[in-house]
Amino acid sequence: MFEYGRAICYSGYRRNQSPVNCTYPTYDQVVEDLQILVNLGFKYIRMYDPVEYARTTCQVIRDKGFDLKLMLGPGIQSEVNNPGCPWLKTNDSDAELAERAKWNDTRVEDLIKIANEYDDVINAVSIGNENTPSWGANNVPVERLITFADRLKAGCKQPVTFNEGAFEWPALTELAKHLDIICVHSYPLWYGNTVDEALAVNKEWYKKIKDIYPDKPVIFSEIGWATDAVDFSQMKEGQPNEENQKKYYKDFWAWADSEKIISYMFEAFDEPWKGGNNPREAEKHWGIFDVDRKPKLVEL
């Protein structure tokens, strides 16, 4: 397990850049981003896909000698139709789902390649990201996730994990047997909690999951607080703002630092490509910097 240090999720897509159409940040833009994070004292970053952007990021870390280590996932797609997903109702044929499964196999192999090529930079590999919840748009059967874990263990030397929400981990005991690290996402803001309640919620989930997996390292691979939102169907109105984001992280780090719990802030920079056309959608506003790299109120 890696030593304690500050961690953050890094998806540095700028205006008119998006993973959907494969328009990625340039080498120089990645240099600028990582220099910001290094200057703030971050030791660990997390990325989601073994695409050219991740390779560029690894090369920048190596070229510039940045003291950063990267957790990287495979960016897999759904292999089952999920009628419980509220925003994406799919009815793909068996043939279409089989093609997605084939595509996922390729992404796992791509992850193995980059993990071996940059074994001095990549310190952990993941089998997926939020692929088991009842509401998920990219669900994959646990049996398939187990095969991904076993393939990563056989193909590269980094510890293997899975990035999943707190609510899902109690049901993933069989999968956990194939993992080295339990990576938890905890979002009190999405759960309808206020910023004053948030730390207690994170503490509760950490204890609960640690009790289930006492022999595994448990870390937070996403913790965060949005600074804007237009739809309050889940969040309490008035909670997503910069002042509350600042308080959330101040309270959280006082606890996580004292307990030495590695926790990846979600996230470094706002991502305007996410969601729909409304610029105030919450998914676009989780960064501690805006898309123009202007810092918000968070103090580190």
Side-chain angles (χ1 to χ4, degrees), residues 41 46 118 129 135 137 225 234 240 248 278:
R46 178 186 168 216
Y118 291 97
N129 182 71
W135 48 262
W225 198 270
Q234 289 177 262
Y248 175 80
N278 194 314

Side-chain angles (χ1 to χ4, degrees), residues 275-287:
N277 295 325
N278 194 314
R280 293 193 57 207
E281 287 184 50
E283 287 298 321
K284 304 175 187 291
H285 295 282
W286 292 85

Side-chain angles (χ1 to χ4, degrees), residues 1 25 29 40 74 85 92 101 111 158 160 218 269-270 278 288 298:
M1 183 59 181
Q29 288 172 336
L40 289 172
C85 180
D92 295 325
L111 178 55
Q158 289 90 342
V160 176
V218 175
F269 307 103
D270 283 351
N278 194 314
I288 61 171
V298 171

Side-chain angles (χ1 to χ4, degrees), residues 54-111:
R55 188 177 298 276
T56 299
T57 301
C58 289
Q59 193 61 47
V60 167
I61 292 172
R62 183 182 283 173
D63 290 348
K64 300 298 181 180
F66 287 144
D67 184 16
L68 285 171
K69 299 296 183 183
L70 169 64
M71 176 189 292
L72 185 60
I76 56 177
Q77 300 178 349
S78 61
E79 295 187 10
V80 293
N81 292 309
N82 182 16
C85 180
W87 68 88
L88 185 62
K89 306 296 184 184
T90 58
N91 188 25
D92 295 325
S93 68
D94 289 344
E96 289 170 322
L97 294 174
E99 280 300 310
R100 290 188 176 194
K102 184 178 179 180
W103 189 89
N104 288 343
D105 289 332
T106 301
R107 292 306 280 265
V108 171
E109 293 305 315
D110 290 342
L111 178 55

Side-chain angles (χ1 to χ4, degrees), residues 32 54 125 128 132 148 171 249 273:
E32 179 187 0
V125 290
T132 68
F148 296 162
Y249 280 124
W273 70 270

Side-chain angles (χ1 to χ4, degrees), residues 43-233:
K43 299 295 184 184
Y44 304 110
I45 60 174
R46 178 186 168 216
M47 300 179 74
Y48 296 79
D49 302 287
V51 293
E52 196 59 34
Y53 178 25
R55 188 177 298 276
T56 299
T57 301
C58 289
Q59 193 61 47
V60 167
I61 292 172
R62 183 182 283 173
D63 290 348
K64 300 298 181 180
F66 287 144
D67 184 16
L68 285 171
K69 299 296 183 183
L70 169 64
M71 176 189 292
L72 185 60
I76 56 177
Q77 300 178 349
S78 61
E79 295 187 10
V80 293
N81 292 309
N82 182 16
C85 180
W87 68 88
L88 185 62
K89 306 296 184 184
T90 58
N91 188 25
D92 295 325
S93 68
D94 289 344
E96 289 170 322
L97 294 174
E99 280 300 310
R100 290 188 176 194
K102 184 178 179 180
W103 189 89
N104 288 343
D105 289 332
T106 301
R107 292 306 280 265
V108 171
E109 293 305 315
D110 290 342
L111 178 55
I112 290 172
K113 290 176 184 177
I114 192 173
N116 287 324
E117 183 178 352
Y118 291 97
D119 61 357
D120 56 324
V121 174
I122 296 173
N123 71 326
V125 290
S126 174
I127 60 173
N129 182 71
E130 296 183 350
N131 301 112
T132 68
S134 60
W135 48 262
N138 288 300
N139 284 15
V140 174
V142 168
E143 294 77 14
R144 282 280 287 163
L145 295 174
I146 288 174
T147 67
F148 296 162
D150 292 346
R151 285 166 63 187
L152 287 174
K153 281 179 174 288
C156 54
K157 66 182 183 181
Q158 289 90 342
V160 176
T161 188
F162 176 49
N163 307 99
E164 187 52 280
F167 286 91
E168 283 66 48
W169 273 112
L172 296 175
T173 54
E174 190 61 33
L175 174 60
K177 296 175 183 177
H178 299 259
L179 304 175
D180 300 303
I181 305 168
I182 307 299
C183 277
V184 181
H185 297 174
S186 183
Y187 284 107
L189 181 59
W190 277 126
Y191 308 157
N193 297 109
T194 68
V195 71
D196 292 322
E197 299 165 337
L199 181 58
V201 172
N202 285 327
K203 286 182 176 181
E204 180 182 358
W205 273 115
Y206 184 82
K207 182 181 185 304
K208 183 174 183 176
I209 294 170
K210 187 64 179 174
D211 286 347
I212 297 171
Y213 304 106
D215 299 325
K216 303 276 186 179
V218 175
I219 70 177
F220 288 110
S221 53
E222 288 186 17
I223 53 104
W225 198 270
T227 55
D228 200 2
V230 69
D231 180 4
F232 297 102
S233 59

